[in-house]
């Protein structure tokens, strides 16, 4: 049984913008099957939408700076080109969400479920993705400079085309593709399906190169 919420009384803090408040209120009042939040290009700053069932929400191009989505359900949501700087998605479910081109510098995705998420051309500089599940995720040309992916699961994900993150310590990277990746990373990482074999230093550099990395230096 789902523990996600979906009533007006479950909103911990409403957006400052009247237009965003109205869109949120209209969605919460619609009990029909398949109803979703329609908030493209709206300003949701000031909101705390933690633990809400926002599956399928359309919030492309929206301003979500510092908005809290802790333990919320955003499965299959559309967040393309959204402004997510400093937003908190800790423990949220973003499986199969479309986040292409989003600006999420400094955002928190700690222990979030990002299975098969689309993050191509996104900016995740200094974002915290520690312990996140990014299996089968697409992160091509994604800016990951300074991001923390410590103990994240990146099985079968696609990275590359831009600078790699700083911290990959303990990450699970079986099946990853890293076409054109470059930069410096901190290892070691697990490279086998059972997460029992870890590589660091020169061995990790060779492993990354064999999977398409252009020039990645292991610094730890």
């Amino acid at each position: 049984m789902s523990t996600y919420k979906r009533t007006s009384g479950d909103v911990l803090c409403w957006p400052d913008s009247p237009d965003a408040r109205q869109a949120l209120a209209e969605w919460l009042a619609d009990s029909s099957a398949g109803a979703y939040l329609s908030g493209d290009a709206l300003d949701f700053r000031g909101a705390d939408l933690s633990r809400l069932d926002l599956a399928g929400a359309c919030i492309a191009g929206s301003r979500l700076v510092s908005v809290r989505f802790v333990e919320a359900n955003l499965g299959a949501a559309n967040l393309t080109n959204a402004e997510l700087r400093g937003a908190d998605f800790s423990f949220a479910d973003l499986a199969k969400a479309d986040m292409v081109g989003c600006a999420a510098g400094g955002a928190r995705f700690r222990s979030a479920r990002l299975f098969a998420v689309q993050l191509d051309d996104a900016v995740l500089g200094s974002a915290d993705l520690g312990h996140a599940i990014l299996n089968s995720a697409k992160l091509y040309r994604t800016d990951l400079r300074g991001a923390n992916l410590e103990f994240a699961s990146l099985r079968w994900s696609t990275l590359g085309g831009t600078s790699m993150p700083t911290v990959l310590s303990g990450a699970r990277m079986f099946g990853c593709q890293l076409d054109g990746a470059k930069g410096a990373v901190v290892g070691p990482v697990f490279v086998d399906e059972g997460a029992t074999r870890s590589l660091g230093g020169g061995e990790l550099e060779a492993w990354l190169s064999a999977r398409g990395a252009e020039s990645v230096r292991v610094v730890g």
Side-chain angles (χ1 to χ4, degrees), residues 31-55:
S31 60
S32 62
Y36 60 88
L37 173 63
S38 179
D40 287 349
L42 295 182
D43 188 344
F44 285 87
R45 287 178 299 172
D48 187 340
L49 307 179
S50 298
R51 293 185 290 281
L52 291 185
D53 190 351
L54 293 155

Side-chain angles (χ1 to χ4, degrees), residues 5 27 33-34 39 42 51 54 57 65 81 94 110 144 154 159 163 168-169 171 188 197-198 206-207:
K5 310 297 184 180
W27 165 67
L42 295 182
R51 293 185 290 281
L54 293 155
V65 176
N81 299 311
L94 291 133
R110 197 157 189 85
L144 290 161
L154 292 151
L159 301 92
S163 296
L168 283 168
S169 304
R197 179 185 175 219
S198 65
W207 186 88

Side-chain angles (χ1 to χ4, degrees), residues 84-86 102-109 122-129 142-148 163-166:
L84 305 174
R85 293 184 303 279
C102 71
R108 289 177 57 84
F109 296 91
V123 176
L124 290 169
S126 300
D128 184 0
L129 294 116
T142 302
D143 186 349
L144 290 161
R145 286 174 293 183
N148 175 24
S163 296
M164 287 286 289
T166 301

Side-chain angles (χ1 to χ4, degrees), residues 52-219:
L52 291 185
D53 190 351
L54 293 155
C58 288
I59 41 181
S62 294
R63 300 195 73 182
L64 301 162
V65 176
S66 298
V67 173
R68 287 173 56 82
F69 295 96
V70 178
E71 297 181 349
N73 180 16
L74 288 147
N78 185 352
L79 294 97
T80 56
N81 299 311
E83 295 182 39
L84 305 174
R85 293 184 303 279
D88 192 346
F89 294 91
S90 299
F91 299 96
D93 190 342
L94 291 133
K96 299 184 179 180
D98 188 345
M99 302 177 71
V100 172
C102 71
R108 289 177 57 84
F109 296 91
R110 197 157 189 85
S111 297
R113 184 170 182 262
L114 294 148
F115 172 76
V117 71
Q118 300 284 333
L119 275 162
D120 293 340
D121 298 302
V123 176
L124 290 169
S126 300
D128 184 0
L129 294 116
H131 296 270
I133 299 173
L134 289 141
N135 298 342
S136 300
K138 305 296 184 186
L139 299 103
Y140 192 67
R141 294 188 304 272
T142 302
D143 186 349
L144 290 161
R145 286 174 293 183
N148 175 24
L149 283 134
E150 189 174 22
F151 296 106
S153 182
L154 292 151
R155 292 186 176 96
W156 303 109
S157 61
T158 302
L159 301 92
T162 187
S163 296
M164 287 286 289
T166 301
V167 181
L168 283 168
S169 304
R172 301 183 178 193
M173 300 186 69
F174 176 76
C176 274
Q177 292 298 314
L178 298 121
D179 295 339
K182 51 185 176 290
V185 302
V186 177
V189 306
F190 292 102
V191 299
D192 62 321
E193 189 168 12
T196 59
R197 179 185 175 219
S198 65
L199 297 178
E203 287 185 316
L204 179 55
E205 288 182 359
W207 186 88
L208 295 169
S209 179
R211 279 145 191 84
E214 181 179 316
S215 177
V216 175
R217 181 169 56 95
V218 177
V219 296

